[in-house]
Structures are given as C-alpha cells and as structure tokens.
Amino acid sequence: MNIILQLFLSFLKIGAFSFGGGYAMLPLIEREIVKNHNWINYREFTDIIGISQMTPGPIAINSATFVGYKVGGVLGSVAASIGVVTISFILVSIATHYIMKFKESKAIKSAFMGMRPALIALILSAFWSLAKTSYVDIKSVVIGILTLVMLLSKKIHPIMVIVISGILGVILY
C-alpha cells in the first residue's frame, strides 16, 4: 500500500477513535506510529510530542504533520493531517445540527460524565509512556521537578518554562 495512503488511514483511525483532545490521542498515536508501523522510535515520538507542544495548534494535528513529513515528505504531512481531522470534521458538522436539541439530555450528560475518568486515564497513560523515555537520569528528573514547581507554584508562563528547561538542558547536557 502506498505510504501516503497508509499515513492517511492510520491518522484517520487515530482521529476516529480518540475523544478528549490531543493528550488523550497520544497513546493511540504511539501505538499506531511507533508500535504498529515502526515509522518512528520512542525517542523520536517524545521529541515530536515536545515540538508539537511548543508549536501553535492542536497536538494531534502537529504530531500528524511532523510524523507525516518524516515518513512521506510534504504529501505525507498533508495526508496525515487531513486524516486526523476528517472524522472530527464530519461528526462536528453533523452534531452542530442536533446539539441544541439534545444538550439538556440526561443520557448525554451522563455519558460525558462517564467519559471524563477514561480521558484522564488516557492522559496519564500518555504521561507514563513519555516519562519512561524522558526521565533517563537524575538531570532529567531534576528538570522535570523544577518545571512542575515553576508551573504550579510560581505560575510562570508555560513558554517561559519551556525556554528555561531548554537552557537547563544545554547547561546540564
């Protein structure tokens, strides 16, 4: 099968079976591109997630674009990006018509309440996978802890935290 079509179908599957945004998609992206297709390795996956977080736009689209480009060039990035948004675009287009009609439905509200814990579990799963390849020594753990402290207690802007973490990486490594 043509690599461009494979990229489109893989990211179409990721987009079709992911709820809860980009972070909830990470375990699916990891499974599909790292484990199933071996298009990138875990270290590259971690790097792509980092780059995706620093660039504007949703992490899922950014990841699709980067992976698509690495595997299939410009056409690969276009195919992967279109694939990851296609199902969402179709569903949102259809749902917009009905959303006002069912927005107060107890069944819909209950379904979303049930999905919230699963989405948190998906995000934690993504964190765990990334942590295993990111925290490789005491220096990386120190950078991670300092980053967490800066974000939670000092209320430093995330962009500044990324810059500081990069500087620490240059100094420590």
Side-chain angles (χ1 to χ4, degrees), residues 11-12 15 25 60-61 80-91:
F11 279 96
L12 182 73
M25 285 181 166
I61 295 171
S81 298
I82 290 172
V84 81
V85 299
T86 298
I87 300 297
S88 296
F89 178 78
I90 291 168
L91 291 176

Side-chain angles (χ1 to χ4, degrees), residues 23 67 83 98 111 113 117 120-121 144 164 167:
Y23 293 109
V67 171
Y98 295 101
M113 288 298 292
I120 296 298
I164 292 168
I167 293 168

Side-chain angles (χ1 to χ4, degrees), residues 53-132:
Q53 291 175 7
M54 293 187 304
T55 54
I59 193 168
I61 295 171
N62 290 345
S63 298
T65 304
F66 291 127
V67 171
Y69 184 77
K70 182 178 184 323
V71 174
V74 173
L75 285 177
S77 67
V78 170
S81 298
I82 290 172
V84 81
V85 299
T86 298
I87 300 297
S88 296
F89 178 78
I90 291 168
L91 291 176
V92 168
S93 297
I94 293 168
T96 309
H97 178 71
Y98 295 101
I99 197 120
M100 295 308 286
K101 187 175 183 179
F102 296 109
K103 75 177 184 173
E104 296 301 321
S105 164
K106 182 162 176 52
I108 298 295
K109 286 182 180 180
S110 297
F112 283 128
M113 288 298 292
M115 283 186 227
R116 287 179 185 167
L119 297 176
I120 296 298
L122 284 169
I123 292 168
L124 290 173
S125 171
F127 164 78
W128 184 251
S129 288
L130 292 171
K132 288 190 295 189

Side-chain angles (χ1 to χ4, degrees), residues 2 18 22 25 27 29 35 45 64 72 85 100 118-119 137 143 146-147 165:
N2 179 330
S18 299
M25 285 181 166
I29 295 171
K35 293 179 182 172
F45 177 70
V85 299
M100 295 308 286
L119 297 176
D137 58 16
I143 291 172
L146 288 174
T147 300
S165 298

